[in-house]
Amino acid sequence: LKPYRPQQRIGVGRAPICASPSAHCPCGRNGARRGRRTAMDKLKALATRCARVVLKGAPPEPCEEVRHLMKSHKMNSSHILHIYDVFHYLKQLEDPEEVFTSAFEVELESMKRLIVERRRWILPMLMHLMDLGECEEEVTWDQFLWIIIRFCSLSRVELSQALFLFIQKELQSGMLHCLTAMQLQEYYKPYQDCPIRAFSTYGFEFDKLPSNRYYPSDFAELTQRFPQLLNPALFLQRQLQAHVPGLDFWDQADQTDLLCRKITFDFFKIDTGRIHLWGEPPFRESCDWLLPDAIGAIAVNEDQWIMRTSVRRFGRGLRQVSVWGEQPPPEQIKKIRDGFDREAEEARRLQAEREFQARQAEKARRERAKRAAKEKAKSGDDSGSENGEEEEEEEEDESASAEHAAETDVAVAVGQTGDWSAEGPREAWAVGGSAQNGPTPDRETPVLPATGDGAAAPVTVEGPRPLADTAARRG
């Protein structure tokens, strides 16, 4: 989990604070609403801001328990002043029109403004933390210091115990000493498809684990081996450390003298009503799972394993693959998920290639269609001119054939006997030639019909018919 390093700051040395207490902030990351404002509004906002800086009083004096806590963490007056700037800013956001000179308490909803990123996943934990500190509607200055400082000082094992209490608050469990596998599965179900890789429980199933009940020590071991279960609470801690008093302070803090404390329901209360005579009770850790997982385990009591896991996974039982049953370790889950991501990326790449090829093919088809249309239009123009010439030629041929038909229609067939006789009637060859010179050699001489005795019958020609009469007869 990468440390939270806010890039944009409001004020001097202050982490960004959201202007909206809702889970989905409508104003953006830094809480500044972007809109058009008149010059008078800008002047009024500037005057109000100056008044807040000038008229802001000193931080209230904390109670004795809080002073002792801050002294144990080596916090000085400058740290208190920085924390009070954050607390006063939360108070001022409740009523932007009014100028508060001092702040003694803030509304519980105003605490949500401390969370800027990934609010959907960690805001419920913040509300459960305030509930453990007995904050119902308002958070006083002493409660703010006590709860936030105590939570920011938790180690990973202690943070696992705090998360154990948050889950019990969320599920309203009647058993305060343990959580069942079904309850944990129900709590982490929304994180199954979380888009944040560090928070996602993809590939993790409580049904594959051999245990059916988890005590705080068992849950602490489980979260240490599978860090995605603890990362939301760890990110909440880093968000709060950015404000109280800053990440640099907690990164450089010396935690060697602090033992692993036991986190109970009274840990975040100022007045618990009881006193531990021997100091805060330590947390008794066990390595029932982590030690065999680290050095390697050999199954020696198979009967006990079968008896404990025979009812898991709807009666199918679990194989003793490791101390975690059939649940793969985080390293293997990461490899499997990376393989799926590579396959998905390759599928997206192939899909993009296919779409690109389809677009190129469609583009080429359109270009071919355009070229074909242009060629067709061009050939249409040329063929139009050629068709016009052909029609003119056909008209001329038709007129010539009509004239020729008219000439041939007026011709009369004349018999041909080999020699033209001078004594023959003049009318027999009058059309083919002249009476004195005989028929014209370049024209076909019509054949005369034969009579009964074999001689050619003479035909009398009256003369050429009119052209109109010839056309009517043809029609």
Side-chain angles (χ1 to χ4, degrees), residues 150-185:
R150 295 274 279 185
F151 183 75
C152 292
S153 63
L154 298 179
S155 62
R156 288 184 64 92
V157 179
E158 296 170 349
L159 198 61
S160 301
Q161 301 177 63
L163 180 59
F164 187 86
L165 302 180
F166 296 161
I167 296 175
Q168 287 188 333
K169 285 286 186 180
E170 177 73 19
L171 301 177
Q172 299 179 358
S173 175
M175 297 182 296
L176 303 181
H177 62 288
C178 69
L179 289 171
T180 63
M182 294 182 61
Q183 289 176 331
L184 292 175
Q185 186 74 23

mmCIF file of all heavy atoms in Angstrom, residues 150-185:
data_model
loop_
_atom_site.group_PDB
_atom_site.id
_atom_site.type_symbol
_atom_site.label_atom_id
_atom_site.label_comp_id
_atom_site.label_asym_id
_atom_site.label_seq_id
_atom_site.Cartn_x
_atom_site.Cartn_y
_atom_site.Cartn_z
ATOM 1 N N ARG A 150 -4.834 8.088 19.401
ATOM 2 C CA ARG A 150 -4.784 6.665 19.743
ATOM 3 C C ARG A 150 -4.851 5.795 18.492
ATOM 4 O O ARG A 150 -4.142 4.787 18.390
ATOM 5 C CB ARG A 150 -5.932 6.316 20.686
ATOM 6 C CG ARG A 150 -5.866 6.983 22.038
ATOM 7 C CD ARG A 150 -5.022 6.217 23.019
ATOM 8 N NE ARG A 150 -5.755 5.087 23.621
ATOM 9 C CZ ARG A 150 -5.242 4.333 24.581
ATOM 10 N NH1 ARG A 150 -4.017 4.555 25.041
ATOM 11 N NH2 ARG A 150 -5.951 3.335 25.091
ATOM 12 N N PHE A 151 -5.707 6.163 17.564
ATOM 13 C CA PHE A 151 -5.831 5.353 16.352
ATOM 14 C C PHE A 151 -4.604 5.489 15.453
ATOM 15 O O PHE A 151 -4.169 4.503 14.838
ATOM 16 C CB PHE A 151 -7.089 5.773 15.581
ATOM 17 C CG PHE A 151 -7.346 4.960 14.353
ATOM 18 C CD1 PHE A 151 -7.844 3.666 14.444
ATOM 19 C CD2 PHE A 151 -7.092 5.482 13.084
ATOM 20 C CE1 PHE A 151 -8.087 2.904 13.305
ATOM 21 C CE2 PHE A 151 -7.327 4.730 11.946
ATOM 22 C CZ PHE A 151 -7.827 3.441 12.060
ATOM 23 N N CYS A 152 -4.043 6.681 15.360
ATOM 24 C CA CYS A 152 -2.865 6.877 14.514
ATOM 25 C C CYS A 152 -1.624 6.185 15.062
ATOM 26 O O CYS A 152 -0.673 5.940 14.316
ATOM 27 C CB CYS A 152 -2.587 8.369 14.340
ATOM 28 S SG CYS A 152 -3.829 9.248 13.360
ATOM 29 N N SER A 153 -1.611 5.860 16.346
ATOM 30 C CA SER A 153 -0.435 5.238 16.951
ATOM 31 C C SER A 153 -0.483 3.711 16.916
ATOM 32 O O SER A 153 0.428 3.067 17.440
ATOM 33 C CB SER A 153 -0.305 5.700 18.410
ATOM 34 O OG SER A 153 -1.420 5.266 19.176
ATOM 35 N N LEU A 154 -1.503 3.124 16.302
ATOM 36 C CA LEU A 154 -1.636 1.680 16.282
ATOM 37 C C LEU A 154 -0.642 1.047 15.325
ATOM 38 O O LEU A 154 -0.370 1.582 14.240
ATOM 39 C CB LEU A 154 -3.052 1.272 15.875
ATOM 40 C CG LEU A 154 -4.210 1.721 16.788
ATOM 41 C CD1 LEU A 154 -5.537 1.244 16.223
ATOM 42 C CD2 LEU A 154 -4.015 1.212 18.195
ATOM 43 N N SER A 155 -0.096 -0.111 15.714
ATOM 44 C CA SER A 155 0.741 -0.900 14.821
ATOM 45 C C SER A 155 -0.151 -1.784 13.941
ATOM 46 O O SER A 155 -1.379 -1.764 14.051
ATOM 47 C CB SER A 155 1.710 -1.758 15.636
ATOM 48 O OG SER A 155 0.999 -2.668 16.464
ATOM 49 N N ARG A 156 0.460 -2.583 13.089
ATOM 50 C CA ARG A 156 -0.323 -3.413 12.188
ATOM 51 C C ARG A 156 -1.141 -4.459 12.951
ATOM 52 O O ARG A 156 -2.305 -4.706 12.620
ATOM 53 C CB ARG A 156 0.595 -4.098 11.171
ATOM 54 C CG ARG A 156 1.165 -3.170 10.118
ATOM 55 C CD ARG A 156 1.986 -3.969 9.116
ATOM 56 N NE ARG A 156 1.159 -4.911 8.378
ATOM 57 C CZ ARG A 156 0.577 -4.647 7.214
ATOM 58 N NH1 ARG A 156 0.727 -3.458 6.667
ATOM 59 N NH2 ARG A 156 -0.136 -5.575 6.601
ATOM 60 N N VAL A 157 -0.539 -5.077 13.935
ATOM 61 C CA VAL A 157 -1.276 -6.084 14.709
ATOM 62 C C VAL A 157 -2.398 -5.416 15.501
ATOM 63 O O VAL A 157 -3.519 -5.945 15.593
ATOM 64 C CB VAL A 157 -0.315 -6.851 15.633
ATOM 65 C CG1 VAL A 157 -1.075 -7.884 16.462
ATOM 66 C CG2 VAL A 157 0.781 -7.529 14.819
ATOM 67 N N GLU A 158 -2.118 -4.259 16.083
ATOM 68 C CA GLU A 158 -3.167 -3.536 16.811
ATOM 69 C C GLU A 158 -4.260 -3.039 15.864
ATOM 70 O O GLU A 158 -5.438 -3.005 16.230
ATOM 71 C CB GLU A 158 -2.546 -2.369 17.564
ATOM 72 C CG GLU A 158 -1.562 -2.803 18.648
ATOM 73 C CD GLU A 158 -0.773 -1.638 19.209
ATOM 74 O OE1 GLU A 158 -0.848 -0.538 18.619
ATOM 75 O OE2 GLU A 158 -0.082 -1.819 20.231
ATOM 76 N N LEU A 159 -3.871 -2.649 14.668
ATOM 77 C CA LEU A 159 -4.859 -2.216 13.683
ATOM 78 C C LEU A 159 -5.753 -3.374 13.258
ATOM 79 O O LEU A 159 -6.947 -3.182 12.978
ATOM 80 C CB LEU A 159 -4.144 -1.612 12.473
ATOM 81 C CG LEU A 159 -4.977 -0.735 11.532
ATOM 82 C CD1 LEU A 159 -5.523 0.469 12.277
ATOM 83 C CD2 LEU A 159 -4.123 -0.296 10.352
ATOM 84 N N SER A 160 -5.219 -4.579 13.228
ATOM 85 C CA SER A 160 -6.046 -5.759 12.931
ATOM 86 C C SER A 160 -7.107 -5.967 14.008
ATOM 87 O O SER A 160 -8.258 -6.307 13.698
ATOM 88 C CB SER A 160 -5.165 -6.992 12.822
ATOM 89 O OG SER A 160 -4.197 -6.840 11.811
ATOM 90 N N GLN A 161 -6.744 -5.751 15.265
ATOM 91 C CA GLN A 161 -7.729 -5.873 16.339
ATOM 92 C C GLN A 161 -8.801 -4.787 16.242
ATOM 93 O O GLN A 161 -9.992 -5.050 16.483
ATOM 94 C CB GLN A 161 -7.027 -5.781 17.693
ATOM 95 C CG GLN A 161 -5.957 -6.843 17.907
ATOM 96 C CD GLN A 161 -5.242 -6.650 19.225
ATOM 97 O OE1 GLN A 161 -5.855 -6.737 20.297
ATOM 98 N NE2 GLN A 161 -3.954 -6.376 19.165
ATOM 99 N N ALA A 162 -8.387 -3.557 15.901
ATOM 100 C CA ALA A 162 -9.371 -2.489 15.717
ATOM 101 C C ALA A 162 -10.324 -2.810 14.572
ATOM 102 O O ALA A 162 -11.540 -2.567 14.664
ATOM 103 C CB ALA A 162 -8.658 -1.169 15.468
ATOM 104 N N LEU A 163 -9.794 -3.378 13.478
ATOM 105 C CA LEU A 163 -10.650 -3.779 12.370
ATOM 106 C C LEU A 163 -11.614 -4.885 12.798
ATOM 107 O O LEU A 163 -12.770 -4.925 12.333
ATOM 108 C CB LEU A 163 -9.785 -4.248 11.203
ATOM 109 C CG LEU A 163 -10.513 -4.719 9.942
ATOM 110 C CD1 LEU A 163 -11.396 -3.609 9.372
ATOM 111 C CD2 LEU A 163 -9.518 -5.197 8.893
ATOM 112 N N PHE A 164 -11.167 -5.757 13.679
ATOM 113 C CA PHE A 164 -12.047 -6.786 14.223
ATOM 114 C C PHE A 164 -13.254 -6.159 14.931
ATOM 115 O O PHE A 164 -14.397 -6.608 14.775
ATOM 116 C CB PHE A 164 -11.245 -7.664 15.190
ATOM 117 C CG PHE A 164 -11.979 -8.857 15.703
ATOM 118 C CD1 PHE A 164 -11.987 -10.046 14.987
ATOM 119 C CD2 PHE A 164 -12.674 -8.810 16.902
ATOM 120 C CE1 PHE A 164 -12.669 -11.167 15.468
ATOM 121 C CE2 PHE A 164 -13.358 -9.909 17.389
ATOM 122 C CZ PHE A 164 -13.349 -11.095 16.668
ATOM 123 N N LEU A 165 -13.019 -5.094 15.677
ATOM 124 C CA LEU A 165 -14.113 -4.386 16.353
ATOM 125 C C LEU A 165 -15.006 -3.646 15.351
ATOM 126 O O LEU A 165 -16.229 -3.581 15.536
ATOM 127 C CB LEU A 165 -13.540 -3.404 17.372
ATOM 128 C CG LEU A 165 -12.644 -3.990 18.472
ATOM 129 C CD1 LEU A 165 -12.148 -2.894 19.402
ATOM 130 C CD2 LEU A 165 -13.385 -5.065 19.255
ATOM 131 N N PHE A 166 -14.408 -3.086 14.302
ATOM 132 C CA PHE A 166 -15.209 -2.396 13.282
ATOM 133 C C PHE A 166 -16.175 -3.375 12.599
ATOM 134 O O PHE A 166 -17.336 -3.029 12.342
ATOM 135 C CB PHE A 166 -14.298 -1.759 12.230
ATOM 136 C CG PHE A 166 -13.404 -0.677 12.763
ATOM 137 C CD1 PHE A 166 -12.277 -0.270 12.061
ATOM 138 C CD2 PHE A 166 -13.682 -0.055 13.964
ATOM 139 C CE1 PHE A 166 -11.467 0.720 12.543
ATOM 140 C CE2 PHE A 166 -12.865 0.950 14.478
ATOM 141 C CZ PHE A 166 -11.750 1.338 13.750
ATOM 142 N N ILE A 167 -15.708 -4.567 12.314
ATOM 143 C CA ILE A 167 -16.559 -5.562 11.655
ATOM 144 C C ILE A 167 -17.714 -5.966 12.573
ATOM 145 O O ILE A 167 -18.861 -6.128 12.122
ATOM 146 C CB ILE A 167 -15.728 -6.782 11.236
ATOM 147 C CG1 ILE A 167 -14.677 -6.378 10.192
ATOM 148 C CG2 ILE A 167 -16.619 -7.886 10.669
ATOM 149 C CD1 ILE A 167 -13.733 -7.492 9.805
ATOM 150 N N GLN A 168 -17.429 -6.116 13.858
ATOM 151 C CA GLN A 168 -18.507 -6.440 14.794
ATOM 152 C C GLN A 168 -19.529 -5.309 14.880
ATOM 153 O O GLN A 168 -20.734 -5.553 14.989
ATOM 154 C CB GLN A 168 -17.919 -6.739 16.175
ATOM 155 C CG GLN A 168 -17.201 -8.076 16.268
ATOM 156 C CD GLN A 168 -16.810 -8.413 17.681
ATOM 157 O OE1 GLN A 168 -16.601 -7.520 18.513
ATOM 158 N NE2 GLN A 168 -16.705 -9.701 17.981
ATOM 159 N N LYS A 169 -19.062 -4.063 14.817
ATOM 160 C CA LYS A 169 -19.990 -2.930 14.820
ATOM 161 C C LYS A 169 -20.814 -2.893 13.537
ATOM 162 O O LYS A 169 -22.017 -2.580 13.570
ATOM 163 C CB LYS A 169 -19.201 -1.623 14.974
ATOM 164 C CG LYS A 169 -18.676 -1.355 16.372
ATOM 165 C CD LYS A 169 -19.800 -0.924 17.295
ATOM 166 C CE LYS A 169 -19.282 -0.509 18.648
ATOM 167 N NZ LYS A 169 -20.372 -0.079 19.565
ATOM 168 N N GLU A 170 -20.200 -3.206 12.432
ATOM 169 C CA GLU A 170 -20.892 -3.163 11.146
ATOM 170 C C GLU A 170 -21.969 -4.242 11.069
ATOM 171 O O GLU A 170 -23.092 -3.986 10.607
ATOM 172 C CB GLU A 170 -19.880 -3.337 10.014
ATOM 173 C CG GLU A 170 -20.484 -3.380 8.620
ATOM 174 C CD GLU A 170 -20.969 -2.017 8.167
ATOM 175 O OE1 GLU A 170 -20.536 -0.989 8.737
ATOM 176 O OE2 GLU A 170 -21.812 -2.000 7.244
ATOM 177 N N LEU A 171 -21.638 -5.451 11.499
ATOM 178 C CA LEU A 171 -22.569 -6.570 11.415
ATOM 179 C C LEU A 171 -23.489 -6.681 12.624
ATOM 180 O O LEU A 171 -24.415 -7.504 12.599
ATOM 181 C CB LEU A 171 -21.795 -7.876 11.247
ATOM 182 C CG LEU A 171 -20.875 -7.968 10.020
ATOM 183 C CD1 LEU A 171 -20.122 -9.285 10.023
ATOM 184 C CD2 LEU A 171 -21.670 -7.804 8.734
ATOM 185 N N GLN A 172 -23.210 -5.870 13.658
ATOM 186 C CA GLN A 172 -23.989 -5.925 14.898
ATOM 187 C C GLN A 172 -24.050 -7.357 15.429
ATOM 188 O O GLN A 172 -25.115 -7.916 15.703
ATOM 189 C CB GLN A 172 -25.398 -5.362 14.676
ATOM 190 C CG GLN A 172 -25.417 -3.910 14.242
ATOM 191 C CD GLN A 172 -26.811 -3.380 14.013
ATOM 192 O OE1 GLN A 172 -27.800 -4.116 14.150
ATOM 193 N NE2 GLN A 172 -26.919 -2.093 13.686
ATOM 194 N N SER A 173 -22.883 -7.931 15.538
ATOM 195 C CA SER A 173 -22.780 -9.330 15.956
ATOM 196 C C SER A 173 -23.098 -9.466 17.440
ATOM 197 O O SER A 173 -22.699 -8.636 18.264
ATOM 198 C CB SER A 173 -21.370 -9.856 15.664
ATOM 199 O OG SER A 173 -21.198 -11.162 16.150
ATOM 200 N N GLY A 174 -23.815 -10.537 17.765
ATOM 201 C CA GLY A 174 -24.112 -10.809 19.171
ATOM 202 C C GLY A 174 -22.948 -11.449 19.900
ATOM 203 O O GLY A 174 -22.876 -11.385 21.130
ATOM 204 N N MET A 175 -22.016 -12.065 19.167
ATOM 205 C CA MET A 175 -20.815 -12.659 19.769
ATOM 206 C C MET A 175 -19.689 -11.634 19.718
ATOM 207 O O MET A 175 -19.272 -11.201 18.642
ATOM 208 C CB MET A 175 -20.412 -13.939 19.020
ATOM 209 C CG MET A 175 -21.458 -15.039 19.086
ATOM 210 S SD MET A 175 -20.915 -16.548 18.249
ATOM 211 C CE MET A 175 -20.783 -15.954 16.561
ATOM 212 N N LEU A 176 -19.219 -11.215 20.861
ATOM 213 C CA LEU A 176 -18.184 -10.187 20.941
ATOM 214 C C LEU A 176 -16.776 -10.761 20.992
ATOM 215 O O LEU A 176 -15.806 -9.996 20.926
ATOM 216 C CB LEU A 176 -18.418 -9.311 22.182
ATOM 217 C CG LEU A 176 -19.783 -8.618 22.265
ATOM 218 C CD1 LEU A 176 -19.867 -7.776 23.531
ATOM 219 C CD2 LEU A 176 -20.054 -7.768 21.032
ATOM 220 N N HIS A 177 -16.641 -12.055 21.105
ATOM 221 C CA HIS A 177 -15.305 -12.636 21.257
ATOM 222 C C HIS A 177 -14.808 -13.303 19.984
ATOM 223 O O HIS A 177 -13.627 -13.635 19.886
ATOM 224 C CB HIS A 177 -15.314 -13.679 22.384
ATOM 225 C CG HIS A 177 -16.221 -14.836 22.132
ATOM 226 N ND1 HIS A 177 -17.593 -14.731 22.191
ATOM 227 C CD2 HIS A 177 -15.950 -16.132 21.785
ATOM 228 C CE1 HIS A 177 -18.137 -15.901 21.911
ATOM 229 N NE2 HIS A 177 -17.159 -16.771 21.659
ATOM 230 N N CYS A 178 -15.683 -13.507 18.977
ATOM 231 C CA CYS A 178 -15.249 -14.167 17.742
ATOM 232 C C CYS A 178 -16.160 -13.759 16.593
ATOM 233 O O CYS A 178 -17.242 -13.204 16.795
ATOM 234 C CB CYS A 178 -15.240 -15.692 17.902
ATOM 235 S SG CYS A 178 -16.888 -16.427 18.059
ATOM 236 N N LEU A 179 -15.704 -14.064 15.396
ATOM 237 C CA LEU A 179 -16.458 -13.842 14.163
ATOM 238 C C LEU A 179 -16.456 -15.136 13.370
ATOM 239 O O LEU A 179 -15.440 -15.837 13.299
ATOM 240 C CB LEU A 179 -15.828 -12.720 13.321
ATOM 241 C CG LEU A 179 -15.964 -11.295 13.845
ATOM 242 C CD1 LEU A 179 -15.110 -10.343 13.017
ATOM 243 C CD2 LEU A 179 -17.412 -10.839 13.832
ATOM 244 N N THR A 180 -17.582 -15.451 12.758
ATOM 245 C CA THR A 180 -17.675 -16.657 11.953
ATOM 246 C C THR A 180 -17.217 -16.377 10.524
ATOM 247 O O THR A 180 -17.111 -15.216 10.084
ATOM 248 C CB THR A 180 -19.110 -17.188 11.947
ATOM 249 O OG1 THR A 180 -19.971 -16.211 11.335
ATOM 250 C CG2 THR A 180 -19.589 -17.449 13.368
ATOM 251 N N ALA A 181 -16.966 -17.465 9.787
ATOM 252 C CA ALA A 181 -16.531 -17.319 8.398
ATOM 253 C C ALA A 181 -17.631 -16.697 7.542
ATOM 254 O O ALA A 181 -17.355 -15.914 6.621
ATOM 255 C CB ALA A 181 -16.122 -18.683 7.843
ATOM 256 N N MET A 182 -18.888 -17.006 7.836
ATOM 257 C CA MET A 182 -19.994 -16.426 7.070
ATOM 258 C C MET A 182 -20.102 -14.929 7.300
ATOM 259 O O MET A 182 -20.396 -14.166 6.375
ATOM 260 C CB MET A 182 -21.305 -17.116 7.444
ATOM 261 C CG MET A 182 -21.376 -18.585 7.042
ATOM 262 S SD MET A 182 -22.973 -19.338 7.447
ATOM 263 C CE MET A 182 -24.069 -18.335 6.463
ATOM 264 N N GLN A 183 -19.848 -14.474 8.545
ATOM 265 C CA GLN A 183 -19.891 -13.040 8.824
ATOM 266 C C GLN A 183 -18.766 -12.308 8.098
ATOM 267 O O GLN A 183 -18.977 -11.218 7.538
ATOM 268 C CB GLN A 183 -19.795 -12.817 10.338
ATOM 269 C CG GLN A 183 -21.036 -13.231 11.109
ATOM 270 C CD GLN A 183 -20.861 -13.071 12.611
ATOM 271 O OE1 GLN A 183 -19.752 -13.168 13.141
ATOM 272 N NE2 GLN A 183 -21.965 -12.837 13.313
ATOM 273 N N LEU A 184 -17.582 -12.872 8.095
ATOM 274 C CA LEU A 184 -16.465 -12.237 7.388
ATOM 275 C C LEU A 184 -16.720 -12.229 5.881
ATOM 276 O O LEU A 184 -16.376 -11.253 5.194
ATOM 277 C CB LEU A 184 -15.164 -12.967 7.709
ATOM 278 C CG LEU A 184 -14.666 -12.833 9.150
ATOM 279 C CD1 LEU A 184 -13.435 -13.697 9.375
ATOM 280 C CD2 LEU A 184 -14.348 -11.382 9.484
ATOM 281 N N GLN A 185 -17.299 -13.314 5.369
ATOM 282 C CA GLN A 185 -17.620 -13.353 3.938
ATOM 283 C C GLN A 185 -18.645 -12.283 3.587
ATOM 284 O O GLN A 185 -18.546 -11.639 2.535
ATOM 285 C CB GLN A 185 -18.149 -14.745 3.581
ATOM 286 C CG GLN A 185 -18.387 -14.962 2.101
ATOM 287 C CD GLN A 185 -17.103 -15.133 1.327
ATOM 288 O OE1 GLN A 185 -16.072 -15.508 1.884
ATOM 289 N NE2 GLN A 185 -17.154 -14.833 0.037
#
